[in-house]
Amino acid sequence: TWVYKTDPNEIRHIGYIAEDLDAIDAFKYVVYKNSKNEPAGIKYELLSVYAIEALKVAAKKIEELENKIKNIEKTLYKP
């Protein structure tokens, strides 16, 4: 959650923080920058598209690691 610095009522908001998403390479195109090239906001309309792609990459990596574990186990526990 966050509060806008300029909000005198200090109303809390829920959502992602642009700086957090900008730090994740898979989401760099979801964040728009200000004139100083600093994270300024999030293109929420693109967020789900990039999230699905990031999940695909993560699922592939998990599968690769599971296969490596199986191969290691086969090597370690040969009868």
Side-chain angles (χ1 to χ4, degrees), residues 8-71:
N9 298 318
E10 297 185 358
I11 296 173
R12 285 219 152 290
H13 297 274
I14 296 174
Y16 298 102
I17 297 173
E19 291 83 358
D20 292 343
L21 289 179
D22 191 50
I24 303 169
D25 194 47
F27 292 107
K28 64 184 176 186
Y29 299 111
V30 175
V31 176
Y32 60 89
K33 309 282 179 95
N34 62 19
S35 60
K36 296 177 184 176
N37 203 33
E38 300 168 331
I42 298 168
K43 300 173 190 173
Y44 280 96
E45 69 276 10
L46 297 177
L47 189 58
S48 62
V49 174
Y50 282 91
I52 289 169
E53 289 305 312
L55 285 172
K56 288 179 184 178
V57 170
K60 184 178 178 184
K61 185 66 175 178
I62 289 169
E63 184 178 348
E64 290 170 0
L65 292 170
E66 286 174 338
N67 288 333
K68 282 184 178 183
I69 290 169
K70 286 178 187 175
N71 288 334

